[in-house]
């Protein structure tokens, strides 16, 4: 096999079909079940989008009422899981906590190995309802705080803020969070979704596939970029330092976090929507210095390299302004992407073929093992 025939990173390779979302490289657009993401973000709640991703259609008011009531009723987690989260080392990355919690939920679910569509839909909806509770407990315990129990009186986003901060912030903040959840929910065969599909293709269970996907999302070239963006902006500090910082980073051949994309080469269609929600929040919170740094850095880097921001560029500073600890940004991404992952897991199960590519061997030719004397 020649070098040209090997598609490093599977770049440009079409692996399977999917009806969950469509990425159009030429127009940099993204649709979920046929609807453009920016229109969904302008007109829907995350709960409606979660329903759409799983069921293929937006819910009627009755379907939405039933769906949200079920989500609200499943938010609480058992005491053993609370204790498990609180027993993890305080300096471990929160994605390890999320991965451990998902594995635990698989271990205690008597239907973990039941692979019917109904059983898997029920598992997906429980993970969607319980991941925010897990992330919130982990966030609080790192500040020496006890858990705040979920409440059925609040919507998905407001309840999450209540569980983390024991209060619900201004409307712009809740809306910005909800928009981020909608934009992060699904993205075709990205690395973590593909990981989930690979695991599913072996006929392993949904929890195992999700735990694997959490591991893939953690990396800074994928979901971990939203944390890395904030760490980078904090290191740069102020807008007047952006240019010199970029000079130095590029001279050291560093990747600039939150910029570039494997598929979108002329901009990510999710960015204008997230950026607008971030700006609305900046206005509400009066964080002009951060916005100035954000704009100056972007203008400078795009001007030099023609490499555009991806969704992680506006979402990192947005989560920072909301008050979340930087290492919790990727677990928040998990809370959203659980919808896309589980839709893909069920799609893979419905039409499975073991995913097992080939490799071109470039090690030593076959040789004999030396015979040991005596
Ligand atoms: N900073 C500096 N140079 C870059 C960047 C960047 N962020 N992105 C691409 N390039 C350069 C790269 O060095 C290469 O240059 P050359 O041809 O001179 O070697 C060229 O652009 C092509 O890059 P590539 O790495 O071959 O492109 P890719 O499609 O493999 O990489 C990427 C895509 C996302 C891994 C990369 O753009 C990157 O590392 N970005 C920073 C991390 C990031 O923001 N990740 C989030 C991705 S989107 C959300 C998600 O998936 O969760």
């Amino acid at each position: 096999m020649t070098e040209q025939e090997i598609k490093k990173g599977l770049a440009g390779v079409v692996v399977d079909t999917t009806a969950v979302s469509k990425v159009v490289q030429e127009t940099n657009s993204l649709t979920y079940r046929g609807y453009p993401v920016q229109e969904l973000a302008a007109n829907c709640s995350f709960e409606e989008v979660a329903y759409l991703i799983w069921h293929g259609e937006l819910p009627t008011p009755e379907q939405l009422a039933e769906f949200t009531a079920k989500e609200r009723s499943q938010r609480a987690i058992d005491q053993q899981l609370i204790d498990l989260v609180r027993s993890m080392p305080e300096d471990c990355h929160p994605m390890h906590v999320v991965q451990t919690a998902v594995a635990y939920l698989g271990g205690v679910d008597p239907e973990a190995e039941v692979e019917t569509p109904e059983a898997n839909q029920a598992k997906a909806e429980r993970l969607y309802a319980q991941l925010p509770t897990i992330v919130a407990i982990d966030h609080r315990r790192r500040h020496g705080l006890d858990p705040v129990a979920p409440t059925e009186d609040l919507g998905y986003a407001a309840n999450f803020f209540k569980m983390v901060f024991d209060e619900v912030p201004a409307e712009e903040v809740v809306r910005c969070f909800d928009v981020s959840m909608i934009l992060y929910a699904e993205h075709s065969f990205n690395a973590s979704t593909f990981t989930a599909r690979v695991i599913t293709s072996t006929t392993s269970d949904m929890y195992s596939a999700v735990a694997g996907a959490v591991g893939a999302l953690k990396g800074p070239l994928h979901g971990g970029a939203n944390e890395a963006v904030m760490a980078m902006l904090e290191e740069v500090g102020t807008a007047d330092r952006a240019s010199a910082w970029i000079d130095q980073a590029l001279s050291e051949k560093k990747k600039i976090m939150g910029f570039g994309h494997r598929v979108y080469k002329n901009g990510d269609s999710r960015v204008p929507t997230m950026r607008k929600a971030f700006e609305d929040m900046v206005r509400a919170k009066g964080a002009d210095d951060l916005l100035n740094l954000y704009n100056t850095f972007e203008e400078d880097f795009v001007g030099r390299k023609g490499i555009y921001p991806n969704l992680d560029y506006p979402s990192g500073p947005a989560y920072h302004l909301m008050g979340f600890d930087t290492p919790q940004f990727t677990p928040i991404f998990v809370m959203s992407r659980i919808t896309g992952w589980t839709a893909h897991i069920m799609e893979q199960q419905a039409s499975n073929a073991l995913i097992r590519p080939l490799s071109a061997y470039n090690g030593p030719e076959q040789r004999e093992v030396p015979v040991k004397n005596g």
Side-chain angles (χ1 to χ4, degrees):
M1 202 175 273
T2 63
E3 284 272 330
Q4 283 80 0
E5 286 169 322
I6 296 167
K7 302 285 187 189
K8 271 282 221 196
L10 296 181
V13 176
V14 178
V15 175
D16 205 341
T17 57
T18 181
V20 186
S21 68
K22 182 177 179 185
V23 173
V24 184
Q25 189 158 15
E26 296 71 34
T27 53
N28 300 311
S29 74
L30 171 63
T31 55
Y32 298 164
R33 305 283 188 187
Y35 294 109
V37 274
Q38 59 276 23
E39 290 179 27
L40 290 169
N43 296 292
C44 300
S45 65
F46 176 51
E47 290 94 318
E48 287 172 282
V49 172
Y51 185 99
L52 169 72
I53 287 172
W54 281 320
H55 299 285
E57 296 295 337
L58 284 164
T60 62
E62 296 73 31
Q63 286 167 334
L64 183 62
E66 192 187 324
F67 180 73
T68 52
K70 196 161 164 211
E71 183 266 313
R72 290 176 188 212
S73 71
Q74 299 197 104
R75 288 172 177 168
I77 59 172
D78 67 39
Q79 189 58 45
Q80 251 179 307
L81 180 52
I82 296 173
D83 294 343
L84 176 63
V85 169
R86 288 168 63 84
S87 72
M88 295 283 287
E90 270 185 31
D91 57 354
C92 81
H93 194 283
M95 287 292 270
H96 290 303
V97 177
V98 173
Q99 204 172 34
T100 303
V102 169
Y104 170 88
L105 288 169
V108 298
D109 182 354
E111 298 222 315
E113 309 295 334
V114 180
E115 299 297 340
T116 60
E118 296 73 26
N120 278 328
Q121 183 61 41
K123 290 174 214 168
E125 288 181 18
R126 273 198 306 277
L127 284 166
Y128 156 73
Q130 293 176 353
L131 278 164
T133 314
I134 292 159
V135 175
I137 291 171
D138 187 36
H139 198 294
R140 284 182 72 78
R141 62 118 188 178
R142 290 170 196 260
H143 295 265
L145 299 168
D146 288 333
V148 170
T151 167
E152 294 192 28
D153 302 336
L154 295 170
Y156 179 96
N159 172 62
F160 181 60
F161 279 103
K162 175 80 180 149
M163 289 193 296
V164 175
F165 301 114
D166 203 11
E167 61 183 21
V168 179
E171 181 52 34
E172 297 83 359
V173 179
V174 178
R175 184 65 200 142
C176 183
F177 183 79
D178 212 44
V179 164
S180 78
M181 291 284 104
I182 293 170
L183 297 175
Y184 267 139
E186 160 57 14
H187 210 192
S188 76
F189 280 34
N190 58 84
S192 57
T193 302
F194 188 59
T195 302
R197 291 190 76 127
V198 170
I199 295 171
T200 304
S201 84
T202 70
T203 70
S204 188
D205 68 289
M206 181 176 272
Y207 296 99
S208 299
V210 170
V214 170
L217 192 75
K218 178 174 175 285
L221 295 191
H222 188 17
N226 60 7
E227 296 173 30
V229 165
M230 198 57 228
M232 178 181 81
L233 292 177
E234 281 182 324
E235 194 183 308
V236 178
T238 49
D240 59 310
R241 295 183 53 195
S243 191
W245 192 94
I246 295 171
D247 282 343
Q248 178 72 22
L250 292 180
S251 74
E252 291 169 12
K253 302 246 174 284
K254 279 191 186 155
K255 285 278 180 73
I256 309 298
M257 292 294 134
F259 289 84
H261 200 275
R262 171 57 65 79
V263 183
Y264 307 125
K265 295 300 178 195
N266 299 306
D268 175 336
S269 66
R270 301 168 297 178
V271 168
T273 306
M274 190 63 220
R275 183 203 160 92
K276 162 86 175 50
F278 168 53
E279 277 175 350
D280 289 349
M281 202 173 50
V282 166
R283 231 165 275 126
K285 289 195 165 251
D288 293 344
D289 288 352
L290 182 58
L291 184 60
N292 192 16
L293 168 59
Y294 176 98
N295 286 333
T296 307
F297 192 98
E298 177 182 332
E299 211 173 291
D300 191 313
F301 182 66
V302 175
R304 290 179 201 223
K305 300 286 283 184
I307 296 174
Y308 293 89
N310 57 57
L311 176 57
D312 295 314
Y313 189 60
S315 68
Y319 290 148
H320 173 79
L321 266 191
M322 289 173 202
F324 297 114
D325 295 341
T326 303
Q328 297 290 351
F329 295 178
T330 319
I332 290 171
F333 189 161
V334 172
M335 288 163 40
S336 163
R337 189 57 64 84
I338 189 66
T339 56
W341 286 339
T342 50
H344 279 273
I345 289 168
M346 289 186 271
E347 194 176 60
Q348 181 72 33
Q349 283 168 335
S351 160
N352 191 39
L354 175 70
I355 299 173
R356 201 297 185 196
L358 298 177
S359 55
Y361 178 70
N362 66 355
E365 289 305 321
Q366 183 166 330
R367 47 192 168 154
E368 281 180 16
V369 177
V371 179
K372 294 192 185 82
N373 293 322

